[in-house]
Amino acid sequence: MNKKSASDSLTSKMELINKKVREITDRRKGVKVTRIEDELDRQELKSYMRLMGVEHGSISLESAEQETRAPRNNIFYATVAGEALIEAALIFIAASYLLSPAPTALDYLIAATLLGMFSYMAYVMYRYVKSR
């Protein structure tokens, strides 16, 4: 009977520790966690385990570099298609300013601004699509 109560006690302690791990993991979801915050969470879990009287082995928290990502769906692809149309319009308008019969300094300035916007949007779009 003593062995059974000891194993039940250990099982209940492990359940409480797993609950604490889930709590910490839930708190970290969707938030960018720095290494310092990651270490503080690990220390919190170690002290909780020490309080429960269980030796800590390997503590498995989600990595600080892991991010929660939204799944790709029709809205994602519609947004990317809309951005591609805007990009095409920027290139077309910039080309029309540059290919006018007698472009002025203002035409060159407008075309440079549009090409700058194109470059920035292309970079953001590329980074967003690649990170997913």
Side-chain angles (χ1 to χ4, degrees):
M1 190 84 169
N2 193 12
K3 274 188 172 181
K4 190 172 187 179
S5 70
S7 71
D8 288 342
S9 173
L10 183 62
T11 303
S12 66
K13 287 180 182 180
M14 290 306 292
E15 287 175 8
L16 289 173
I17 291 170
N18 286 335
K19 183 179 176 185
K20 184 70 169 179
V21 169
R22 282 191 300 274
E23 175 188 317
I24 291 171
T25 303
D26 288 343
R27 185 176 64 214
R28 297 165 66 145
K29 281 188 179 174
V31 177
K32 187 165 178 103
V33 180
T34 63
R35 287 189 177 142
I36 294 171
E37 292 170 328
D38 188 42
E39 186 59 35
L40 288 173
D41 286 340
R42 289 182 191 282
Q43 288 177 2
E44 176 186 356
L45 188 58
K46 283 180 185 178
S47 64
Y48 186 75
M49 291 173 75
R50 191 176 18 229
L51 179 70
M52 296 298 290
V54 178
E55 290 187 26
H56 60 85
S58 61
I59 298 174
S60 60
L61 294 174
E62 289 183 4
S63 173
E65 289 81 25
Q66 241 178 12
E67 286 186 26
T68 304
R69 296 183 179 152
R72 291 184 176 184
N73 54 15
N74 291 339
I75 295 172
F76 172 79
Y77 292 114
T79 304
V80 170
E83 289 178 7
L85 289 174
I86 293 170
E87 295 274 329
L90 287 175
I91 289 293
F92 178 76
I93 295 169
S96 69
Y97 275 109
L98 291 175
L99 297 176
S100 64
T104 63
L106 182 62
D107 291 338
Y108 286 123
L109 181 64
I110 291 172
T113 303
L114 290 172
L115 291 175
M117 289 171 50
F118 169 81
S119 299
Y120 175 74
M121 286 181 65
Y123 170 73
V124 169
M125 193 166 103
Y126 172 75
R127 192 179 71 202
Y128 185 71
V129 169
K130 274 304 232 188
S131 71
R132 300 278 170 177

